[in-house]
């Protein structure tokens, strides 16, 4: 009888050990048992798990199929229920600045960047201090600038806006509004060609009595000395990536520095910017263009007050949901001193720029803007260019419309030079979109350039 | 040897059954095993569980104590680390329209209204259809109006805005902008007294060449017939809750209907509104003022196009985070045909109005606006008033500044009549804030009225 007894004992021992294991798995070291957030978390993970073949993604608020499952939203030139079909002949999108190049970073940091919003989160118009801005978020922003070394914020004020977009006009308003002298002539708003089109569109659209768009800074000689001049300076510039400085000097000249590209993704950071008005946004920093969150760093208190008033009268401050999202993503950026995201962004854009440059270097028909290598105080090394956009010039005399050349001959669409106040001999190609979009752009340009060399080779033999 | 063996067997049996139980508890019938969303969910539940004694709440983005735990943000007149201390002598806040009265509803519906946002959610500027608005959200909004029966949306366009705030000026812009005739005189913007102050502030602040604020609609006789007139009509009206209609008629008169209070919380719904421009927002519908999300229902296509363009040029559309939040809360509202939230809102405000009316009915010094009971097509019954604000009049000749009377004699602060273009003999008291704020308001008013009766009683005996 000894044998069965000992085998029982062995079984019992195994079973008991197994029990202990199960108990420890169930209860020991287990995390917080979720209650009200579980349903939403499951829903989000379910949607995120929908397969879109790596060429798209499904969203919580996407259109639903039969009122049930959100459908995949595919990258341009991909289709089908799971984005698995390449749409042959589809035009390569190199137009908008949609910053999808950072999407893989956030997918890699899914856990840290996820956000749970309670139904009762921040229902009030104001924060506890009666302000319209999150003090925690402002603290994060100041810390970020200190770590990156791209802007001096000490002793300066911070205004939040619905992306840089709202802040650009808020700044024009603040610099042009008069306390009493309503009889004085409107301020002249200028920018150097090539410039971001929105400056002109906005300034003209709102038809204010306080300001008028006067176009290129070189036309300033026609403006009387007494007129106030407000100059938009984009640095690095959109479209050409140059670290521009204000052209207009003098007692009546004020500059609004659009610094949305002044991050280590896009440029070496030679020194912290210390302009009177500097505008930033998460669109180009973290890639969350859809959140519509930006901020201005402002030196002068009265300009700060006027810009803040603008955002209040315009939209009663910035969505608390956008502020919460910005806080969450900036928190991830700050982890590890910002190295992760800036290295990811820089490496991605650097590679893209190199590939594009290599292809176009074979061609005599197209040229690209030039950059000198620069020392970056953030990366602590001299680094090559990694701009947000390629500013392409068609060099042939007859190629006056470079946009049309690329569209007709390469099936690629960029953004016209005239959109930036420049000649249509130029076209802007974005490097910020998804890898799919960039790969297709590259493939199409490569083909065009190869055909050119091929034709040249044939011509040289006859 | 039989005894130990059978006892081993019993033990083994128990152990195995226990194994099975544990296994079933661990694996069978368990919900989705959470991965990337778990950390965020735990964080949110942890913050939500911070005790603020029912007189405040902690937020994810709240100020943190020692960089660790968010601190409680207390209702007005409560303090201490857990909001447990009543601040005696503190002034009762009856000023802002912060819609905290709906906060308990969302706490009761915590699971359904929770939202998990992935780090890569909607990074693009546009949705898949290249628009700036969520088609799902638009669908929800149309369905909601159909269920509530408060607005005709069929054949009309919908524009999204950063709260009603941004849409009000977008509408003024759209109605006043000329395609070519820039020489024509600016449109006159008017409103009937008492009116929501922002109409005037906004119209004056942006200093457009296209429109000018002309104040009360009764001043219109001074405006030439050729001038375009844009009338703001708030219905129900802020501050007095009346179902206003446009005053100005004629071929050059256009009305912007601010319908943010046209929900069953605040008024009987006699009929679906069918105005050319109607503005709504979630601030007053669901209480999420901080999200800054509103929409306009617009009849005319060109007005719709111009308003949409305004929101694009102004802020490149509305935060996708705000749109996602709005979608989530509207989804909860739609469940069960909207009965839940409207009954909660109506019952809360109805009780508040009755209590306030009862207290002030004892007084000869103060009077309230009057409402007739009305049939509500949504609740399918005749119902008493439940306005968002009490529009209090000081009846005594010497009480010319009703705001000051309440502040000095009752330690209550409302919003001055002059804020609404009316006499300061009027003051607006909000009924929308937290129960704490309302209880304190009631207590203070009760005391003031009792003192009055007491004084009257003494006076009548001498």
């Amino acid at each position: 009888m000894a044998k069965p007894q000992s085998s029982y004992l062995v079984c019992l021992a195994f079973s008991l050990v197994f029990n202990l294991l199960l108990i420890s798995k169930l209860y020991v070291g287990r995390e917080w048992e979720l209650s009200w957030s579980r349903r939403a978390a499951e829903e989000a993970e379910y949607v995120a798990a929908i397969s879109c073949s790596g060429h798209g993604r499904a969203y919580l608020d996407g259109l639903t199929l039969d009122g049930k499952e959100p459908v995949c939203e595919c990258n341009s030139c991909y289709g089908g229920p799971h984005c698995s079909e390449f749409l042959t002949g589809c035009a390569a999108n190199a137009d908008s600045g949609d910053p999808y190049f950072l999407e893989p970073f956030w997918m890699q940091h899914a856990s840290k960047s996820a956000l749970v919003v309670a139904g009762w989160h921040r229902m009030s118009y104001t924060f506890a201090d009666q302000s319209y801005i999150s003090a925690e978020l402002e603290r994060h922003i100041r810390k970020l600038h200190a770590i990156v070394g791209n802007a001096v914020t000490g002793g300066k004020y911070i205004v939040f806006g619905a992306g840089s977009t709202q802040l650009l006009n808020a700044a024009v308003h603040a610099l042009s509004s008069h306390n009493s002298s309503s009889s004085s002539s409107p301020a002249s708003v200028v920018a150097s060609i090539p410039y971001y089109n929105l400056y002109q569109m906005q300034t003209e659209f709102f038809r204010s009595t306080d300001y008028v768009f006067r176009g290129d800074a070189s036309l300033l000689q026609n403006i009387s000395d007494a007129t106030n001049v407000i100059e938009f300076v984009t640095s690095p510039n959109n479209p050409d990536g140059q670290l521009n400085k204000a052209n207009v000097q003098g007692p009546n000249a004020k500059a609004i520095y659009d610094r949305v590209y002044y991050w280590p993704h896009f440029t070496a950071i030679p020194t912290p910017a210390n302009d009177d008005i500097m505008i930033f946004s998460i669109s180009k920093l973290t890639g969350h263009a859809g959140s519509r969150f930006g901020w201005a760093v402002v030196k002068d208190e009265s300009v700060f007050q006027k810009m803040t008033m603008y955002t209040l009268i315009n939209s009663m401050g910035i969505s608390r949901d956008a502020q919460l999202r910005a806080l969450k993503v900036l928190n991830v950026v700050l982890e590890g001193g910002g190295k992760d995201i800036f290295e990811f962004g820089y490496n991605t854009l650097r590679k893209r720029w190199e590939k594009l440059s290599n292809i176009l270097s074979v061609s005599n028909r197209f040229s690209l803007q030039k950059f000198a290598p620069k020392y970056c105080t953030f990366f602590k090394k001299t680094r090559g260019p990694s701009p947000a956009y390629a500013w392409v010039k068609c060099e042939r005399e007859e190629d006056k419309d470079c946009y049309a050349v690329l569209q007709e001959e390469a099936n690629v669409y960029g953004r016209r030079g005239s959109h930036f106040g420049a000649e249509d001999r130029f076209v802007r190609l974005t490097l910020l979109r998804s890898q799919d979009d960039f790969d297709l752009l590259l493939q199409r340009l490569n083909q065009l350039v190869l055909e050119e060399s091929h034709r040249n080779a044939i011509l040289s033999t006859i």
Side-chain angles (χ1 to χ4, degrees), chain A:
Chain A
M1 292 297 280
K3 259 186 159 180
Q5 186 187 346
S6 67
S7 69
Y8 287 146
L9 263 173
V10 169
C11 284
L12 181 58
F14 266 111
S15 177
L16 286 171
V17 168
F18 192 52
N19 269 326
L20 282 173
L21 274 171
L22 288 171
I23 286 170
S24 75
K25 190 161 166 62
L26 251 177
Y27 299 105
V28 184
R30 260 190 92 73
E31 305 104 325
W32 187 288
E33 201 55 44
L34 295 176
S35 66
W36 57 267
S37 67
R38 171 167 272 282
R39 176 178 146 147
E42 284 172 6
E43 184 185 39
E45 293 207 5
Y46 177 76
V47 171
I50 293 170
S51 163
C52 304
S53 315
H55 300 299
R57 72 296 295 157
Y59 293 118
L60 260 188
D61 56 355
L63 284 179
T64 52
L65 203 66
D66 310 325
K68 281 178 205 139
E69 188 163 312
V71 298
C72 284
E73 299 185 14
C74 308
N75 294 339
S76 4
C77 299
Y78 284 85
H82 295 282
C83 305
S84 55
E85 298 160 23
F86 178 72
L87 309 173
T88 329
C90 156
N93 182 348
D95 176 11
S96 93
D98 265 340
Y100 275 130
F101 77 107
L102 288 169
E103 195 184 55
F105 178 85
W106 295 107
M107 289 185 163
Q108 285 161 25
H109 293 78
S111 175
K112 284 179 183 172
S113 60
L115 176 65
V116 172
V117 189
W120 61 91
H121 179 78
R122 295 257 177 240
M123 295 175 68
S124 169
Y125 287 100
T126 56
F127 286 83
D129 59 0
Q130 298 307 307
S131 83
Y132 291 77
I133 73 168
S134 155
E136 266 302 282
L137 181 51
E138 182 179 338
R139 210 172 57 78
H140 274 64
I141 288 170
R142 289 184 187 274
K143 193 172 166 191
L144 178 66
H145 284 303
I147 284 176
V148 176
N150 67 336
V152 176
T153 63
K156 290 181 176 168
Y157 303 89
I158 290 185
V159 194
F160 289 178
S164 67
T165 315
Q166 191 187 32
L167 291 166
L168 298 170
N169 193 248
V172 171
H173 167 88
L175 294 180
S176 66
S177 71
H178 307 281
N179 291 325
S180 54
S181 57
S182 57
S183 61
S184 66
S185 61
S188 296
V189 179
V190 300
S192 289
I193 289 172
Y195 56 78
Y196 177 43
N197 180 260
L198 188 69
Y199 305 144
Q200 176 169 1
M201 283 175 77
Q202 253 189 2
T203 310
E204 290 173 351
F205 187 86
F206 292 119
R207 295 174 52 81
S208 166
T209 52
D210 288 336
Y211 49 81
V212 173
F213 191 75
R214 298 273 185 197
D216 193 24
S218 69
L219 295 170
L220 273 187
Q221 50 233 45
N222 299 326
I223 297 172
S224 98
D225 285 349
T227 307
N228 285 316
V229 175
I230 299 169
E231 183 179 1
F232 275 112
V233 187
T234 324
S235 185
N237 193 34
N238 172 5
D240 63 11
Q242 305 303 322
L243 286 175
N244 286 353
K245 285 186 178 151
N247 275 305
V248 190
Q249 305 294 334
N252 296 321
K254 291 158 190 163
I256 299 167
Y257 272 86
D258 182 341
R259 290 272 184 197
V260 297
Y261 299 95
Y262 199 54
W263 297 105
H265 309 316
F266 309 109
T267 178
I269 305 291
T271 176
N274 198 10
D275 321 301
D276 289 357
I277 301 181
M278 299 182 276
I279 294 174
F280 296 90
S281 79
I282 59 167
S283 298
K284 296 303 184 291
L285 163 60
T286 67
H288 294 89
S291 292
R292 312 309 307 131
F293 181 78
W295 63 96
V297 181
V298 179
K299 190 180 165 193
D300 184 67
E301 193 188 348
S302 85
V303 172
F304 160 72
Q305 299 288 7
K306 284 175 183 172
M307 288 181 71
T308 302
M309 188 52 80
Y310 182 101
T311 64
L312 294 185
I313 301 276
N314 187 204
S315 59
M316 212 89 90
I318 310 315
S319 171
R320 267 38 112 203
D321 301 292
Q323 293 192 40
L324 180 62
R325 188 91 189 280
L327 180 70
K328 181 54 109 173
V329 297
L330 290 189
N331 202 280
V332 179
V333 170
L334 283 173
E335 275 195 10
K339 286 273 185 252
D340 283 4
I341 191 166
F342 293 118
E343 271 173 7
F344 181 94
Y346 170 65
N347 288 335
T348 305
L349 293 178
R350 176 90 191 112
K351 269 182 225 148
R352 290 187 180 185
W353 176 255
E354 278 178 351
K355 284 182 181 167
L356 187 79
S357 306
N358 287 342
I359 285 175
L360 294 190
S361 67
V362 180
S363 162
N364 296 316
R365 194 176 178 189
F366 306 102
S367 67
L368 281 174
Q369 77 263 49
K370 301 276 180 293
F371 296 98
K374 266 212 178 76
Y375 184 78
C376 178
T377 53
F378 177 76
F379 285 130
K380 295 190 176 56
K381 64 175 182 192
T382 300
R383 36 160 284 179
S386 57
Y389 308 104
W391 185 232
V392 178
K393 187 179 178 188
C394 276
E395 296 283 353
R396 282 190 198 158
E397 177 56 30
E398 66 272 27
D399 287 349
K400 286 190 173 63
D401 186 349
C402 201
Y403 173 89
V405 167
L406 289 184
Q407 194 182 36
E408 285 158 22
E409 301 188 31
N411 203 10
V412 157
Y413 63 102
R415 194 168 282 186
R416 291 180 177 285
S418 55
H419 205 88
F420 304 90
E423 287 174 72
D424 271 338
R425 184 169 290 289
F426 289 91
V427 67
R428 187 192 82 172
L429 301 180
T430 185
L431 305 178
L432 301 179
R433 296 180 58 87
S434 69
Q435 197 60 38
D436 280 347
D437 281 334
F438 180 73
D439 289 344
L440 190 60
L441 167 71
L442 217 60
Q443 185 196 318
R444 295 274 165 84
L445 289 180
N446 195 30
Q447 209 169 333
L448 180 70
V449 167
L450 283 180
E451 281 164 17
E452 183 195 335
S453 340
H454 192 57
R455 213 172 301 128
N456 288 347
I458 292 171
L459 285 172
S460 67
T461 58
I462 47 178

